[in-house]
Amino acid sequence: KDYTKSKEIIFAFSDKKNFRKELDGTYKSYRKKIRKPITYAPLRKWVQDNYNFYTLPNLEGDDVIGILATQHYKTNNVIISGDKDMRTIPTWHCFIIDDSIEFVDGHKADYNFCTQVLTGDKSDGYIGCKGVGQVKASRILDGKKKLPEMWEAVLQEYTRNGYTIDDAYHQSRLARILREGEYDYKKQEPKLWSYKYEHYRNFTEDRKVS
């Protein structure tokens, strides 16, 4: 709190239900064999009783943070995390591994998101586009200044490697940390990433990237 010069701390926790596990049974499936520390439940309750505590039905803590940072506390927050995936959220970040502080603007956040869709995340159990690592992803997205260009480049790489458009959107929905407007509070469910789906549904690899 002192280091980031913040007035208050809000803890975000995951709900018992996780919409990504409904989308894909392999999502974080390896963690089923890993038992949480026995102190987790009482520690979570203690945090809930003593600090500002926030969670949303069917969401992971990351999604809660993403929504808070881009909606309720937009322009007035710092995300404190050790997870590089959080760099897909446009705001200030404090990385707890080395206490570095960084501002991620909208373009960089979208770039990081598209990178995640391409490379996947083994720790979360989704594969992305096989054969694409960080270096290749940077080449694919190099020079793309706006989301439409970046997303079309992602789709072109997927189709070039024999995937369908739906494969790309499926991976994007596992990778996407929710932002403002991407959660339906009434239905208590996420609005799945469907960016220009109708426009791109018949996309083919020979289509030139803009």
Side-chain angles (χ1 to χ4, degrees):
K1 182 179 178 180
D2 292 338
Y3 185 69
T4 58
K5 299 179 181 178
S6 301
K7 292 182 179 180
E8 63 176 318
I9 296 174
I10 299 173
F11 282 87
F13 280 90
S14 299
D15 186 40
K16 290 182 179 180
K17 292 185 178 180
N18 182 338
F19 79 90
R20 291 181 182 83
K21 292 181 179 179
E22 298 294 325
L23 290 177
D24 192 322
T26 65
Y27 183 76
K28 291 186 176 180
S29 58
Y30 77 96
R31 300 191 186 187
K32 292 179 181 179
K33 299 179 181 179
I34 304 175
R35 195 178 78 173
K36 289 184 179 181
I38 59 174
T39 56
Y40 176 80
L43 181 57
R44 173 171 170 150
K45 185 178 186 307
W46 180 83
V47 170
Q48 185 174 359
D49 292 342
N50 290 277
Y51 288 90
N52 292 325
F53 176 96
Y54 208 94
T55 188
L56 286 168
N58 296 308
L59 299 189
E60 294 183 65
D62 289 359
D63 299 305
V64 177
I65 292 173
I67 292 170
L68 290 175
T70 57
Q71 185 171 333
H72 303 288
Y73 297 93
K74 190 174 183 178
T75 73
N76 186 30
N77 69 85
V78 180
I79 292 177
I80 302 175
S81 174
D83 190 346
K84 64 179 178 59
D85 297 358
M86 298 307 298
R87 295 315 203 267
T88 63
I89 301 300
T91 190
W92 285 96
H93 294 262
C94 179
F95 193 56
I96 60 175
I97 304 302
D98 59 7
D99 289 339
S100 60
I101 293 180
E102 172 191 3
F103 179 72
V104 176
D105 62 18
H107 172 266
K108 187 64 176 177
D110 290 338
Y111 176 94
N112 291 340
F113 165 66
C114 288
T115 298
Q116 287 290 105
V117 178
L118 285 167
T119 62
D121 190 328
K122 290 183 179 179
S123 65
D124 283 342
Y126 65 94
I127 61 174
C129 185
K130 285 185 178 180
V132 179
Q134 291 290 332
V135 174
K136 188 171 183 179
S138 66
R139 291 202 301 266
I140 293 169
L141 299 174
D142 184 48
K144 309 299 186 296
K145 296 182 179 180
K146 295 184 178 181
L147 179 59
E149 298 174 71
M150 289 187 279
W151 186 242
E152 194 161 312
V154 169
L155 295 181
Q156 185 180 54
E157 185 63 22
Y158 265 85
T159 55
R160 190 180 72 81
N161 283 279
Y163 291 99
T164 67
I165 293 301
D166 286 334
D167 290 330
Y169 277 91
H170 178 72
Q171 292 296 307
S172 71
R173 290 164 178 174
L174 298 176
R176 183 72 172 182
I177 295 178
L178 302 185
R179 304 184 193 177
E180 177 184 12
E182 296 179 1
Y183 182 72
D184 188 320
Y185 288 89
K186 187 175 181 179
K187 294 182 179 179
Q188 297 188 336
E189 62 185 25
K191 298 177 183 178
L192 298 177
W193 175 261
S194 300
Y195 179 75
K196 292 188 175 182
Y197 176 76
E198 291 301 321
H199 176 71
Y200 289 122
R201 62 186 305 177
N202 296 316
F203 187 93
T204 57
E205 69 169 290
D206 57 3
R207 178 173 172 177
K208 202 170 184 179
V209 176
S210 57

